[in-house]
Every structure is written in structure tokens, then in C-alpha cells.
Amino acid sequence: MIIILGTPGAGKTTQSRLLAEHLNCRCFSMGELIRNEVTGQERKDMLAGKIISDRATIGIIDKTLAGFDTSKEECVFEGNPRSISQAQWWLEQVREGRFKILGVIHLTAQLSIAKKRMLKRGRLDDHDDNVIETRFEEYQRSITPTLDFLKQNGVAVHEVSADGSIEEIAGSIREALGIA
């Protein structure tokens, strides 16, 4: 399994799909899973740019991957973990032999570039500058300790700039992973 994380608007979903296509494997998008599964107050929080609870997030991942043997079949998972407790859950799954994480790609994009991308895609959770800025602040607050935790536990984390073209970013990801 290859995990792709990144700032909002960094192109995680696009790059995950391209990488999965290149590897001829399945791709899972945490954002899409959340938008399809979350209801009630958590949906309202999501639309306000807040991060969904770890309990709900892990439940969605566990349910989604229940019938998929990632220990034998490659896949790309985009958008999770986003907290230390989520990262702990992933590492527990690795220790139990359920998953094998080949590497984590962390895409970083300048706020100005990411904002343009987010407004252009027109999703409900990208509807105004305040929501976008809230999402950036939430992301920055949670991702640094999460990436540090993964690194401290032996997971290869590769920083990749997401400010270039789709093709340039895809090439940088493959290069970071050592994939032709």
C-alpha cells in the first residue's frame, strides 16, 4: 500500500488515481469515502472545513478495506492518516499483517495555488475562503506530528512539491518511490 497525504488542494486524488493507474491497482480516496458516508453533525463539521473524528474515520477505512487483501494486492490510499491516533491504527494493522505500507507521499502546495485548485473543482466543502483557510489550519496542526510519528516508527515518508503541473508531480512521486 502506498499512502498519499497532502495539503488541501495539493492534488492528492488526481495523483492517487494516476499512480494507481500506473501500478494497475485500486485507489481509495478518504475524502470521497467521507463525503459518501458521513451524515449529521459530522457532515456539517466537514462542510465547515473541520476534520472528522478519528473514530468515524477509522470505521470508514476499516469497513472499506474489509474485503480487500492489501497484504497481497497493491493499492493506493489517499488522505489518511491525519492524526497520531489514525497513524497508530494503521501501524497496528501493519503489525497484524493486514497491510504493508511501502511508503507515504506527502504533497505540499502553496496556499495560493491550492486555493485556486479548490475553488475551481467546486465541491461543497470548498465553497469559500474561510472554509479553505480553516481546512489548511486544521491540516497543518495535525499533519506534522502525524508524519513525525510515522517516520519514528520506520515508515518511509517522502516530501513532494505539488506546485507544478500534473505530469511533473506524478513524475516526482514515481521518482520518490523508485517506480519507473
Side-chain angles (χ1 to χ4, degrees):
M1 176 178 301
I2 297 167
I3 296 175
I4 298 189
L5 303 173
T7 55
K12 294 179 298 292
T13 302
T14 298
Q15 292 302 326
S16 296
R17 287 182 180 149
L18 287 172
L19 182 58
E21 184 179 302
H22 181 78
L23 297 173
N24 195 29
C25 68
R26 292 186 62 185
C27 178
F28 299 95
S29 167
M30 191 73 234
E32 288 177 9
L33 293 171
I34 286 174
R35 284 187 291 279
N36 292 334
E37 299 275 336
V38 171
T39 60
Q41 184 60 47
E42 287 187 324
R43 184 161 187 81
K44 290 177 187 173
D45 289 346
M46 174 197 73
L47 293 173
K50 296 180 182 167
I51 294 175
I52 304 305
S53 74
D54 289 340
R55 191 180 118 272
T57 302
I58 290 169
I60 291 168
I61 297 166
D62 197 37
K63 177 182 158 188
T64 299
L65 296 178
F68 186 73
D69 188 354
T70 60
S71 67
K72 296 178 183 166
E73 189 177 348
E74 188 59 68
C75 75
V76 177
F77 198 97
E78 172 261 312
N80 195 275
R82 295 259 311 257
S83 70
I84 290 176
S85 64
Q86 290 171 12
Q88 288 170 329
W89 180 85
W90 280 98
L91 293 177
E92 282 175 29
Q93 305 307 304
V94 168
R95 280 191 292 279
E96 292 172 8
R98 184 175 178 196
F99 306 136
K100 182 179 177 189
I101 299 174
L102 299 178
V104 173
I105 296 294
H106 182 232
L107 297 173
T108 57
Q110 294 177 45
L111 179 59
S112 60
I113 291 171
K115 269 188 183 183
K116 287 178 189 174
R117 291 177 183 164
M118 292 170 77
L119 292 171
K120 186 177 177 182
R121 68 187 179 195
R123 289 192 333 220
L124 286 176
D125 51 336
D126 295 336
H127 62 279
D128 68 34
D129 283 345
N130 290 334
V131 169
I132 291 171
E133 288 181 24
T134 299
R135 288 183 65 200
F136 259 81
E137 290 167 9
E138 290 278 342
Y139 180 80
Q140 293 302 334
R141 181 185 57 74
S142 67
I143 200 61
T144 300
T146 303
L147 293 173
D148 289 345
F149 178 81
L150 290 169
K151 289 175 193 173
Q152 290 164 3
N153 282 277
V155 177
V157 177
H158 309 277
E159 299 285 334
V160 175
S161 171
D163 290 337
S165 70
I166 291 171
E167 296 78 17
E168 290 169 337
I169 299 165
S172 295
I173 290 170
R174 289 193 303 273
E175 182 179 326
L177 293 169
I179 299 170

